[in-house]
Amino acid sequence: MLFFGGDYNPEQWNEAVWKEDDALMRRAHVNLATVGVFSWALLEPEEGRYDFAWLDAHLDRLYANGVAVDLATPTASPPPWFTLAHPDALPVGPDGTRLVHGSRDTYCLAAPAYRTAARNIATALAERYGAHPGVAMWHVHNEYTTLCWCDHTAAAFREWLQQRHGSLEVLNEAWGTEFWSQRYGAWEQVLPPRATQWHKNPGQHLDFRRFWSDTVLAAYREQRDAIRAHSDRPVTTNMMLPAYQNVDLWALGREVDLVAIDHYPDAPGLDAAADTAFAADRARSFAGGRPWLLMEQGTNTVYSGGRILGKEPGEILRHTLGHIARGSEGALFFQWRQSRAGSETWHSAMVPHAGADSRIFREIQQAGEIVARLGEVAGSTVTAKVAVLHDADAWWAMEVDGLPSKDLDYHDALRRAHRALWDAGITADFAHPEHDLSRYRFVVAPSLFLLSDAGAENLRDYVAGGGRLLVQYCSGVVNDRLHARLGGYPALPLREALGIRIEEHRPLRRDEVIVLSDGTRATVWSESLRADGEALLTYTHGMLAGKPALTRHRFGAGESWYLSTRLDDSGYAALITQIVGSGTPGLESVTRHAQDGTRWQFFLNHDVDPVSLPEPGLDLLTGAHVSELPAGGCAVLRKRRTP
Ligand code: GAL
């Protein structure tokens, strides 16, 4: 069975609406509801006094209606009493401003009072519902996103630094504090990176990010373990994608029983479809071969630069299948019924303000029916032969002050590499630079500014062993302490694998466009480098004229490419397809495999014209034979292993 449903916040409604919810959930084939995410104020109206009667009634009603529950701990939104009782547990910004209730996510994860309150409510819920037959899984917190710079944080940060560095001397060396008179003489002098006059110390920034990630993991584990003491159901928390990076998602993936993600594209149309694949491929990769689940998407929501754009007819189904094709064990939405008041009145829902007689609910019903028909794919997996390297340290390293260009953007580089592969019809995994990469026939390293020694050696060994590696500009420039690589970039093992030595970074001016030897245009960045191998493209401007811009090198049994600038979209797409080939333009095709050899081929036609399928077959979505998909059409074909 695949899951279909969404966040259900019945406390906003009354009995008549609950009755209608039951009927509409049946019509829409809803089988899972996330309950209680924002219910702290109702569950614990005063500190230590719990009221579970209303939740008992909803869980029993849902259970009787065939809807299982993903039961949340409400700790992402502490109630107003919490502010008054524990003002020291509210978050403080880098500039010293302390936030108060009136919104949500207002807590400091490092504050003991918050951690205790969160553990207590999680324990109380687990004690009461740990054995409830309707509880299918647990949803700890919601999108761990809040950062804090308060005094509790400062104390916890110092403890973390002591563990990591052992002594102040090592910390001073790691952070390069000899410069700018930043040397610390006592632990009490060390602070989180609060507002400063000018550039913050980069090492302090990176260590703070790592520390905060560990703080999130510890807070999650505390609740998870409190739940596990009373329940054998899987426990998870929902990762917020794409751009928040307040936790190392590889590490969080290892802590949860089931990786769960929320996905809200930031641009409509084809970009939203590509972003769906970007989110889904990351989720599958963080899950490391275990199941994962799309925990939230919007029915009619594309957050785009201060506007909430709608989705086009058919996109609810295409986005849903886009996630399931890439391994999701179903598709859930935020939220079931659109709020009529409060902070998310305009966020779309499965039952919109217009009610069930609406395009959106009809599309939800259709998607629910189709997901129900696809139950047989549950538990099957997706394997990819190509990977994009994803590393939290590299991401955080590119946020530090004082880099050579403000146009360096790790998230952009990551997304762009994935997009070029998606456009070429190639399914990609994400991998960490230190993972075993030998199963991939091609690996892309987007701007991995920070690369550890172990990562650089791993990439060299991958190429030596027969791998094909594309490394992009501004990679391997600093080690895991943010110290510059000396003697030429990138890190030595990678220099060997790429057959290059970079002497100088030459960032481009704002809006500057350069032209390479074959007419391809490039922006943002350029480098002065020497290459042992072939120069596939050269620069044509200034002091770099005639020098390599794109190189290819044979090393050991493998091959490597180094791209020293940011190619325009068509040049980049051409490079990617030249290296890995391409599928049918506009036709997204992904295969899920079961252990018994059965395969399900998912096809999504993003083109404006009909496309022919590579092979005709029986479509599980309609029960009809298909050989061609209309514009926007989808199909899922089952292939059994022939004996
Ligand atoms: C998510 C969040 C939900 C809801 C949703 C829609 O990021 O987890 O609680 O706010 O966005 O805006």
Side-chain angles (χ1 to χ4, degrees), residues 169-213:
E169 208 175 315
V170 177
L171 177 140
N172 278 311
E173 157 67 14
W175 290 7
T177 58
E178 293 307 345
F179 197 50
W180 279 11
S181 183
Q182 290 177 351
R183 188 174 179 75
Y184 295 101
W187 284 104
E188 296 70 53
Q189 296 165 4
V190 182
L191 298 172
R194 293 177 178 158
T196 46
Q197 165 62 14
W198 198 32
H199 291 170
K200 292 187 180 53
N201 179 288
Q204 184 188 12
H205 167 89
L206 178 60
D207 272 349
F208 182 70
R209 290 303 227 152
R210 289 167 168 157
F211 150 75
W212 197 260
S213 178

Side-chain angles (χ1 to χ4, degrees), residues 151-183:
D151 289 344
H152 290 304
T153 300
F157 185 39
R158 281 179 209 120
E159 243 174 66
W160 183 94
L161 290 167
Q162 281 168 15
Q163 292 280 326
R164 181 175 179 90
H165 296 288
S167 71
L168 259 190
E169 208 175 315
V170 177
L171 177 140
N172 278 311
E173 157 67 14
W175 290 7
T177 58
E178 293 307 345
F179 197 50
W180 279 11
S181 183
Q182 290 177 351
R183 188 174 179 75

Side-chain angles (χ1 to χ4, degrees), residues 38 104 142-143 238 240 262 264 296 303 334 344 347:
F38 299 123
R104 61 186 246 197
N142 188 66
E143 296 179 344
N238 46 344
M240 179 55 179
D262 297 345
Y264 297 96
E296 285 184 25
Y303 287 118
F334 186 92
E344 298 216 46
H347 182 84

Side-chain angles (χ1 to χ4, degrees), residues 65-81:
N65 198 33
V67 178
V69 165
D70 165 34
L71 188 57
T73 66
T75 54
S77 200
W81 60 252

Side-chain angles (χ1 to χ4, degrees), residues 477 485-490 495 500-506 526-531 543-544 547 562 564:
V477 177
R485 300 286 183 182
L486 304 181
Y489 319 115
R495 259 165 39 205
I500 57 159
R501 177 172 174 272
I502 297 156
E503 228 177 90
E504 242 184 88
H505 291 149
R506 307 276 304 169
S526 62
E527 290 170 352
S528 167
L529 62 105
R530 283 206 309 251
M543 66 166 254
L544 296 184
K547 290 201 172 179
Y562 183 71
S564 65

